Amino acid sequence: MKLNVKPLSYEDYDNILLKWWKEWDWTAPQRDFLPQEGKGGVMIWDEETPVCAGFIYTTNSKVAWIDWIISNKKYREKNRRQEAIKMLIASLSTIAKNKGYMFGYALLKHSKLIKTYEELGFIAGDSYNKEMIKAL
């Protein structure tokens, strides 16, 4: 079985991602909170099974925010899941680099995901205490 990277489609938000966020007991971000109305990222597939997805927020600086990593909780191939998550973060990083960004940025809480980012060359910045968001 081969893992494949595919761009997110508009339908992926409703058909796949909302379900994943619910299964992990996370509050799903609104579609319009995500880059390109939920299409600004990629999904990793194992044949016909979606495994994980993530997003790239672009900025007016040389920083791209690579985040909102979510996975299929029902995908039970533990080692393949980890391989897919690494492939996801590496793919998002490559996309950002190819678009001219020099830095990848993420806000993370999950220790295993932090370790995966570190394995891919991310370094810890300052630790944050509270995420702040305001609807404008």
Side-chain angles (χ1 to χ4, degrees):
M1 295 195 287
K2 183 178 177 187
L3 296 173
N4 295 300
V5 180
K6 295 181 182 176
L8 286 167
S9 71
Y10 187 82
E11 294 77 22
D12 289 335
Y13 179 85
D14 290 320
N15 297 337
I16 298 172
L17 300 177
L18 286 177
K19 179 179 166 188
W20 287 357
W21 279 308
K22 184 177 182 179
E23 289 173 351
W24 285 107
D25 293 323
W26 295 351
T27 301
Q30 291 181 192
R31 181 190 293 275
D32 56 2
F33 187 85
L34 296 168
Q36 298 175 353
E37 298 285 316
K39 299 183 300 180
V42 298
M43 187 177 298
I44 306 298
W45 292 75
D46 186 348
E47 301 292 328
E48 298 299 317
T49 304
V51 180
C52 57
F55 296 87
I56 301 173
Y57 289 85
T58 57
T59 69
N60 61 356
S61 67
K62 293 294 181 182
V63 177
W65 181 17
I66 300 168
D67 214 332
W68 282 107
I69 306 302
I70 186 69
S71 67
N72 180 349
K73 191 172 186 178
K74 294 181 180 174
Y75 183 80
R76 297 294 181 196
E77 302 291 328
K78 187 176 180 180
N79 291 337
R80 296 280 287 170
R81 176 196 304 274
Q82 186 59 25
E83 182 183 341
I85 290 172
K86 278 186 170 181
M87 182 182 213
L88 172 66
I89 297 166
S91 297
L92 293 169
S93 297
T94 298
I95 291 166
K97 183 177 180 179
N98 290 343
K99 289 184 175 189
Y101 293 93
M102 296 177 64
F103 305 98
Y105 175 79
L107 292 173
L108 306 169
K109 295 178 187 176
H110 189 273
S111 60
K112 189 165 184 171
L113 189 56
I114 291 169
K115 184 177 181 204
T116 302
Y117 271 77
E118 288 173 340
E119 288 173 5
L120 292 167
F122 284 74
I123 59 171
D126 198 7
S127 61
Y128 67 97
N129 294 322
K130 193 73 170 173
E131 181 178 344
M132 304 296 291
I133 300 169
K134 179 181 179 181
L136 303 177

